[in-house]
Amino acid sequence: MKYIIDLIEDVREQIGNHEAYSVTAGLLKTDANDSSKLIYAGEAALNVYHIDKIAKELCFEIDGSESQLTIGEIIPSLSILDMDAMMYALKMDVNAQYNNMEIVGFGKNDEEKRYILFIKI
């Protein structure tokens, strides 16, 4: 499980908080031939995010809109959270079938200026 503090640290280390990077969902599936391996299954743009103080989660969503989250929109507001909020879990709602998915890792694509949040489906 990943937390807000993990996201902030990884963004700083991997892309130097570069504001122009878009934030996308990276989909990983279990290999049918070897369940210990994951296969990259594609990406989708993330559109919105919200903090759920009751569930103690930061949830990213794909809502089908044209808007696309960027690091510049996310990191400044997360960096000022108190220490308790820094330990909120990272989750993602992809669609009705795949909601409240746990974010399992991070990645980047420097050529296309994308920061990737990986989920396993």
Side-chain angles (χ1 to χ4, degrees), residues 88-119:
Y88 286 6
L90 300 179
K91 300 286 181 143
M92 188 181 303
D93 290 341
V94 177
N95 57 32
Q97 181 181 5
Y98 298 109
N99 60 18
N100 206 31
M101 303 292 296
E102 187 177 306
I103 294 174
V104 297
F106 309 116
K108 66 176 180 168
N109 179 326
D110 288 327
E111 291 176 7
E112 297 181 21
K113 300 241 183 279
R114 290 193 312 238
Y115 185 78
I116 307 161
L117 304 175
F118 287 106
I119 58 171

Short mmCIF file of all heavy atoms in Angstrom, two decimals, residues 88-119:
data_model
loop_
_atom_site.label_atom_id
_atom_site.label_comp_id
_atom_site.label_asym_id
_atom_site.label_seq_id
_atom_site.Cartn_x
_atom_site.Cartn_y
_atom_site.Cartn_z
N TYR A 88 -2.41 9.02 4.78
CA TYR A 88 -3.62 8.54 4.11
C TYR A 88 -3.21 7.65 2.94
O TYR A 88 -2.24 7.93 2.23
CB TYR A 88 -4.45 9.70 3.57
CG TYR A 88 -5.20 10.50 4.61
CD1 TYR A 88 -5.06 10.29 5.98
CD2 TYR A 88 -6.08 11.50 4.20
CE1 TYR A 88 -5.76 11.04 6.90
CE2 TYR A 88 -6.78 12.25 5.13
CZ TYR A 88 -6.62 12.02 6.47
OH TYR A 88 -7.32 12.77 7.38
N ALA A 89 -3.96 6.58 2.75
CA ALA A 89 -3.68 5.63 1.67
C ALA A 89 -4.04 6.23 0.32
O ALA A 89 -4.94 7.07 0.21
CB ALA A 89 -4.49 4.36 1.89
N LEU A 90 -3.33 5.80 -0.73
CA LEU A 90 -3.63 6.21 -2.10
C LEU A 90 -4.54 5.18 -2.74
O LEU A 90 -4.23 3.99 -2.76
CB LEU A 90 -2.34 6.33 -2.91
CG LEU A 90 -1.31 7.33 -2.40
CD1 LEU A 90 -0.08 7.31 -3.30
CD2 LEU A 90 -1.88 8.74 -2.33
N LYS A 91 -5.66 5.64 -3.29
CA LYS A 91 -6.64 4.77 -3.94
C LYS A 91 -7.01 5.36 -5.30
O LYS A 91 -6.72 6.51 -5.60
CB LYS A 91 -7.90 4.63 -3.09
CG LYS A 91 -7.67 4.06 -1.71
CD LYS A 91 -7.40 2.59 -1.78
CE LYS A 91 -7.19 2.01 -0.38
NZ LYS A 91 -7.74 0.72 -0.21
N MET A 92 -7.70 4.54 -6.10
CA MET A 92 -8.11 5.00 -7.42
C MET A 92 -9.45 4.39 -7.81
O MET A 92 -9.68 3.21 -7.58
CB MET A 92 -7.06 4.61 -8.47
CG MET A 92 -7.29 5.21 -9.84
SD MET A 92 -6.04 4.70 -11.05
CE MET A 92 -4.53 5.22 -10.27
N ASP A 93 -10.31 5.22 -8.39
CA ASP A 93 -11.57 4.76 -8.96
C ASP A 93 -11.44 4.86 -10.48
O ASP A 93 -11.33 5.95 -11.03
CB ASP A 93 -12.75 5.63 -8.51
CG ASP A 93 -13.08 5.45 -7.03
OD1 ASP A 93 -12.66 4.43 -6.45
OD2 ASP A 93 -13.76 6.31 -6.47
N VAL A 94 -11.43 3.68 -11.13
CA VAL A 94 -11.30 3.64 -12.59
C VAL A 94 -12.67 3.69 -13.24
O VAL A 94 -12.92 4.47 -14.15
CB VAL A 94 -10.52 2.38 -13.03
CG1 VAL A 94 -10.43 2.30 -14.54
CG2 VAL A 94 -9.14 2.36 -12.40
N ASN A 95 -13.56 2.83 -12.78
CA ASN A 95 -14.93 2.78 -13.28
C ASN A 95 -15.78 2.06 -12.23
O ASN A 95 -15.30 1.77 -11.14
CB ASN A 95 -15.00 2.09 -14.65
CG ASN A 95 -14.42 0.69 -14.63
OD1 ASN A 95 -14.48 -0.02 -13.64
ND2 ASN A 95 -13.85 0.28 -15.75
N ALA A 96 -17.04 1.74 -12.57
CA ALA A 96 -17.93 1.09 -11.60
C ALA A 96 -17.40 -0.28 -11.17
O ALA A 96 -17.56 -0.69 -10.02
CB ALA A 96 -19.33 0.95 -12.19
N GLN A 97 -16.75 -0.98 -12.07
CA GLN A 97 -16.23 -2.31 -11.77
C GLN A 97 -14.94 -2.24 -10.94
O GLN A 97 -14.72 -3.04 -10.04
CB GLN A 97 -15.95 -3.08 -13.06
CG GLN A 97 -15.43 -4.48 -12.83
CD GLN A 97 -15.15 -5.21 -14.14
OE1 GLN A 97 -15.26 -4.64 -15.22
NE2 GLN A 97 -14.77 -6.46 -14.03
N TYR A 98 -14.10 -1.29 -11.25
CA TYR A 98 -12.81 -1.15 -10.57
C TYR A 98 -12.77 0.15 -9.79
O TYR A 98 -12.27 1.16 -10.27
CB TYR A 98 -11.66 -1.19 -11.57
CG TYR A 98 -11.55 -2.49 -12.33
CD1 TYR A 98 -11.86 -2.56 -13.68
CD2 TYR A 98 -11.14 -3.65 -11.68
CE1 TYR A 98 -11.77 -3.76 -14.37
CE2 TYR A 98 -11.05 -4.85 -12.36
CZ TYR A 98 -11.36 -4.89 -13.71
OH TYR A 98 -11.27 -6.09 -14.37
N ASN A 99 -13.31 0.13 -8.57
CA ASN A 99 -13.23 1.32 -7.73
C ASN A 99 -12.55 0.98 -6.42
O ASN A 99 -12.44 -0.17 -6.04
CB ASN A 99 -14.60 1.97 -7.51
CG ASN A 99 -15.57 1.05 -6.83
OD1 ASN A 99 -15.19 0.05 -6.22
ND2 ASN A 99 -16.84 1.37 -6.92
N ASN A 100 -12.04 2.01 -5.77
CA ASN A 100 -11.29 1.87 -4.53
C ASN A 100 -10.10 0.92 -4.69
O ASN A 100 -9.78 0.13 -3.80
CB ASN A 100 -12.20 1.41 -3.38
CG ASN A 100 -11.66 1.84 -2.05
OD1 ASN A 100 -11.01 2.86 -1.93
ND2 ASN A 100 -11.94 1.05 -1.03
N MET A 101 -9.44 1.03 -5.84
CA MET A 101 -8.27 0.19 -6.15
C MET A 101 -7.04 0.75 -5.45
O MET A 101 -6.82 1.97 -5.43
CB MET A 101 -8.01 0.15 -7.66
CG MET A 101 -9.17 -0.32 -8.51
SD MET A 101 -9.54 -2.04 -8.28
CE MET A 101 -8.07 -2.81 -8.89
N GLU A 102 -6.24 -0.12 -4.90
CA GLU A 102 -5.02 0.28 -4.21
C GLU A 102 -3.92 0.61 -5.22
O GLU A 102 -3.69 -0.14 -6.16
CB GLU A 102 -4.57 -0.88 -3.32
CG GLU A 102 -3.41 -0.57 -2.43
CD GLU A 102 -3.08 -1.75 -1.53
OE1 GLU A 102 -3.96 -2.25 -0.83
OE2 GLU A 102 -1.89 -2.18 -1.57
N ILE A 103 -3.24 1.73 -5.02
CA ILE A 103 -2.10 2.09 -5.86
C ILE A 103 -0.90 1.32 -5.34
O ILE A 103 -0.56 1.38 -4.17
CB ILE A 103 -1.87 3.60 -5.85
CG1 ILE A 103 -3.06 4.29 -6.54
CG2 ILE A 103 -0.55 3.96 -6.54
CD1 ILE A 103 -3.06 5.78 -6.48
N VAL A 104 -0.26 0.55 -6.26
CA VAL A 104 0.81 -0.36 -5.85
C VAL A 104 2.21 0.12 -6.22
O VAL A 104 3.20 -0.46 -5.79
CB VAL A 104 0.58 -1.78 -6.42
CG1 VAL A 104 -0.68 -2.38 -5.86
CG2 VAL A 104 0.57 -1.78 -7.94
N GLY A 105 2.31 1.16 -7.03
CA GLY A 105 3.62 1.64 -7.42
C GLY A 105 3.55 2.92 -8.24
O GLY A 105 2.47 3.38 -8.60
N PHE A 106 4.72 3.45 -8.54
CA PHE A 106 4.85 4.70 -9.30
C PHE A 106 5.80 4.49 -10.47
O PHE A 106 6.65 3.61 -10.44
CB PHE A 106 5.42 5.81 -8.41
CG PHE A 106 4.72 5.99 -7.10
CD1 PHE A 106 5.38 5.76 -5.90
CD2 PHE A 106 3.40 6.41 -7.04
CE1 PHE A 106 4.76 5.94 -4.68
CE2 PHE A 106 2.75 6.59 -5.83
CZ PHE A 106 3.43 6.36 -4.65
N GLY A 107 5.65 5.33 -11.47
CA GLY A 107 6.56 5.29 -12.62
C GLY A 107 6.53 6.64 -13.31
O GLY A 107 5.84 7.55 -12.91
N LYS A 108 7.31 6.73 -14.38
CA LYS A 108 7.35 7.97 -15.14
C LYS A 108 7.69 7.68 -16.59
O LYS A 108 8.25 6.64 -16.92
CB LYS A 108 8.37 8.94 -14.56
CG LYS A 108 9.80 8.44 -14.70
CD LYS A 108 10.80 9.45 -14.21
CE LYS A 108 12.22 8.88 -14.37
NZ LYS A 108 13.24 9.89 -14.17
N ASN A 109 7.29 8.59 -17.46
CA ASN A 109 7.66 8.56 -18.85
C ASN A 109 8.16 9.95 -19.17
O ASN A 109 7.37 10.89 -19.34
CB ASN A 109 6.45 8.19 -19.73
CG ASN A 109 6.78 8.15 -21.20
OD1 ASN A 109 7.61 8.92 -21.68
ND2 ASN A 109 6.12 7.26 -21.92
N ASP A 110 9.48 10.11 -19.20
CA ASP A 110 10.07 11.43 -19.40
C ASP A 110 9.80 11.99 -20.79
O ASP A 110 9.63 13.20 -20.95
CB ASP A 110 11.58 11.40 -19.14
CG ASP A 110 11.91 11.27 -17.66
OD1 ASP A 110 11.16 11.80 -16.82
OD2 ASP A 110 12.92 10.61 -17.34
N GLU A 111 9.76 11.13 -21.80
CA GLU A 111 9.54 11.59 -23.17
C GLU A 111 8.17 12.25 -23.33
O GLU A 111 8.04 13.26 -24.00
CB GLU A 111 9.67 10.44 -24.16
CG GLU A 111 11.07 9.90 -24.30
CD GLU A 111 11.15 8.69 -25.21
OE1 GLU A 111 10.12 8.32 -25.82
OE2 GLU A 111 12.23 8.09 -25.30
N GLU A 112 7.15 11.66 -22.71
CA GLU A 112 5.79 12.18 -22.85
C GLU A 112 5.36 12.97 -21.62
O GLU A 112 4.20 13.36 -21.52
CB GLU A 112 4.82 11.04 -23.13
CG GLU A 112 5.14 10.36 -24.46
CD GLU A 112 4.18 9.24 -24.78
OE1 GLU A 112 3.06 9.22 -24.22
OE2 GLU A 112 4.55 8.38 -25.59
N LYS A 113 6.28 13.21 -20.69
CA LYS A 113 6.04 13.99 -19.48
C LYS A 113 4.80 13.48 -18.73
O LYS A 113 3.86 14.22 -18.46
CB LYS A 113 5.90 15.48 -19.80
CG LYS A 113 7.13 16.08 -20.45
CD LYS A 113 7.70 17.16 -19.59
CE LYS A 113 8.87 17.85 -20.22
NZ LYS A 113 10.10 17.16 -20.09
N ARG A 114 4.85 12.17 -18.39
CA ARG A 114 3.76 11.55 -17.63
C ARG A 114 4.30 10.93 -16.36
O ARG A 114 5.35 10.28 -16.38
CB ARG A 114 3.06 10.46 -18.45
CG ARG A 114 2.26 11.01 -19.59
CD ARG A 114 1.36 9.96 -20.18
NE ARG A 114 2.04 8.72 -20.42
CZ ARG A 114 2.14 8.12 -21.60
NH1 ARG A 114 1.60 8.67 -22.66
NH2 ARG A 114 2.77 6.98 -21.73
N TYR A 115 3.57 11.13 -15.28
CA TYR A 115 3.87 10.46 -14.01
C TYR A 115 2.76 9.42 -13.84
O TYR A 115 1.58 9.74 -13.96
CB TYR A 115 3.89 11.46 -12.86
CG TYR A 115 4.30 10.82 -11.56
CD1 TYR A 115 5.64 10.55 -11.30
CD2 TYR A 115 3.36 10.45 -10.61
CE1 TYR A 115 6.03 9.93 -10.13
CE2 TYR A 115 3.74 9.84 -9.43
CZ TYR A 115 5.07 9.58 -9.21
OH TYR A 115 5.46 8.94 -8.03
N ILE A 116 3.14 8.19 -13.54
CA ILE A 116 2.20 7.07 -13.59
C ILE A 116 1.96 6.49 -12.19
O ILE A 116 2.91 6.23 -11.45
CB ILE A 116 2.73 5.96 -14.53
CG1 ILE A 116 3.06 6.56 -15.89
CG2 ILE A 116 1.72 4.82 -14.65
CD1 ILE A 116 3.99 5.72 -16.73
N LEU A 117 0.69 6.29 -11.86
CA LEU A 117 0.28 5.62 -10.64
C LEU A 117 -0.22 4.24 -11.05
O LEU A 117 -1.19 4.11 -11.79
CB LEU A 117 -0.83 6.39 -9.94
CG LEU A 117 -0.54 7.85 -9.61
CD1 LEU A 117 -1.78 8.52 -9.03
CD2 LEU A 117 0.63 7.97 -8.67
N PHE A 118 0.46 3.18 -10.61
CA PHE A 118 0.11 1.83 -11.04
C PHE A 118 -0.89 1.18 -10.09
O PHE A 118 -0.77 1.27 -8.87
CB PHE A 118 1.37 0.95 -11.09
CG PHE A 118 2.26 1.26 -12.25
CD1 PHE A 118 3.46 1.93 -12.06
CD2 PHE A 118 1.90 0.90 -13.54
CE1 PHE A 118 4.29 2.23 -13.13
CE2 PHE A 118 2.73 1.19 -14.63
CZ PHE A 118 3.92 1.86 -14.41
N ILE A 119 -1.88 0.52 -10.72
CA ILE A 119 -2.83 -0.31 -9.98
C ILE A 119 -2.81 -1.69 -10.61
O ILE A 119 -2.48 -1.86 -11.78
CB ILE A 119 -4.27 0.25 -10.01
CG1 ILE A 119 -4.79 0.40 -11.44
CG2 ILE A 119 -4.36 1.56 -9.23
CD1 ILE A 119 -6.25 0.72 -11.54
#
